[in-house]
Amino acid sequence: MRVLAIMCHPDDMELSCSGTLIKCKKRDDDVIACHAANGNMGHVVIQPDDLRAIRIAEAKRAAALGGFEVVTTDIDDLCMNSADEEQRKKFIRLIRWARPDFIITHHPDDYCSDHAELSKLIFKASFDASCPHFYPELGAPTGVTPIFYSDTSRSVNFIPTEYVDITEEMELKEAMLACHESQLKWLLDHDGIDIIAVQRARAADRGSQCKVKYAEAYNQLLESQRLRTYRCLP
């Protein structure tokens, strides 16, 4: 299979679905990780242009550990906008290029506007990409792609429909997250949050719900044309 994870900031993929993507690689899937935003506002000292370069480099190092292909649509933090036609076109182009069998992205009810707006953009773009006369210059049309929404921040307002056992993938998941040094330090200094410990606790909680040590949880978008007769997640 071809798997496209379109997450917002450089570290959202590692926090939310990297264990699943590692497991996809183990079954010989092609995995593409897209960071939609460039993370340029994620610090109080480092200036946006410098931070953008740092965070894109951190994302590349993390993806290399997992063996994923990594791309960015390079949208500034706090500027994700589902009504922006140029952003919509970026994701149509991405989906037509990647030609995924399924997409993982944020839940539309996640905690920040960037996440919520990205979720709306991917819902739109993944259908738009199937229409051959809609921006044909952006690539050949695809099918209407299944979407799986990743767990929300702290699992608030999220009821899973599927789980993935990531017990064996947890060590690599945490090594990938540790590549995001600028964000880990900022969150610890600014908010007192040890994000590695937080994500481990969430994975343990989701694991307890499905009788494994660690798990990642998903909510499948249950809409016509996006359903399949087989399981997509590993």
Side-chain angles (χ1 to χ4, degrees):
M1 288 194 183
R2 290 181 62 80
V3 185
L4 176 60
I6 310 174
M7 308 305 289
C8 200
H9 307 98
D11 75 339
D12 285 330
M13 180 268 288
E14 288 78 7
L15 286 166
S16 300
C17 62
S18 58
T20 299
L21 299 181
I22 294 164
K23 202 155 189 168
C24 286
K25 284 295 294 184
K26 287 181 177 179
R27 70 178 186 185
D28 294 327
D29 290 355
D30 295 319
V31 176
I32 301 165
C34 173
H35 303 282
N38 56 34
N40 67 335
M41 295 292 172
H43 211 278
V44 295
V45 177
I46 303 173
Q47 295 302 299
D49 286 348
D50 293 334
L51 186 60
R52 170 188 172 275
I54 289 168
R55 297 203 67 191
I56 288 174
E58 289 172 345
K60 288 180 179 178
R61 287 198 295 273
L65 288 182
F68 312 153
E69 184 170 0
V70 63
V71 296
T72 178
T73 50
D74 202 15
I75 298 167
D76 286 347
D77 283 8
L78 308 181
C79 294
M80 204 68 60
N81 182 358
S82 60
D84 186 312
E85 193 66 8
E86 290 307 308
Q87 291 185 21
R88 184 183 184 188
K89 287 164 68 175
K90 281 177 180 278
F91 294 109
I92 294 171
R93 185 189 299 276
L94 170 68
I95 291 164
R96 286 178 174 173
W97 166 75
R99 313 196 71 77
D101 292 292
F102 66 95
I103 293 170
I104 296 173
T105 193
H106 292 284
H107 192 274
D109 193 25
D110 209 349
Y111 82 106
C112 81
S113 62
D114 274 350
H115 290 201
E117 289 298 304
L118 176 61
S119 186
K120 294 174 189 175
L121 276 163
I122 301 314
F123 176 79
K124 288 181 180 181
S126 60
F127 187 89
D128 298 343
S130 73
C131 300
H133 299 301
F134 194 69
Y135 294 122
E137 70 276 15
L138 300 180
T142 65
V144 181
T145 310
I147 292 177
F148 293 86
Y149 294 127
S150 65
D151 215 340
T152 57
S153 177
R154 310 301 192 277
S155 302
V156 174
N157 293 328
F158 189 89
I159 299 176
T161 60
E162 298 205 37
Y163 295 86
V164 176
D165 180 357
I166 61 162
T167 304
E168 293 183 1
E169 293 70 35
M170 195 65 182
E171 183 177 352
L172 181 52
K173 174 184 171 77
E174 293 191 351
M176 290 174 65
L177 183 55
C179 290
H180 295 273
E181 295 175 6
S182 65
Q183 190 71 354
L184 267 63
K185 186 176 188 306
W186 179 73
L187 287 169
L188 189 61
D189 294 346
H190 185 258
D191 297 318
I193 297 172
D194 180 344
I195 198 65
I196 291 181
V198 168
Q199 65 84 29
R200 187 184 303 130
R202 180 172 67 172
D205 182 53
R206 290 309 193 190
S208 71
Q209 295 171 4
C210 57
K211 297 187 177 181
V212 299
K213 187 173 182 180
Y214 295 115
E216 289 171 342
Y218 297 90
N219 187 292
Q220 184 177 5
L221 174 60
L222 301 176
E223 297 287 356
S224 176
Q225 300 185 53
R226 297 186 188 268
L227 306 176
R228 299 293 184 266
T229 58
Y230 49 84
R231 180 176 170 90
C232 294
L233 294 172

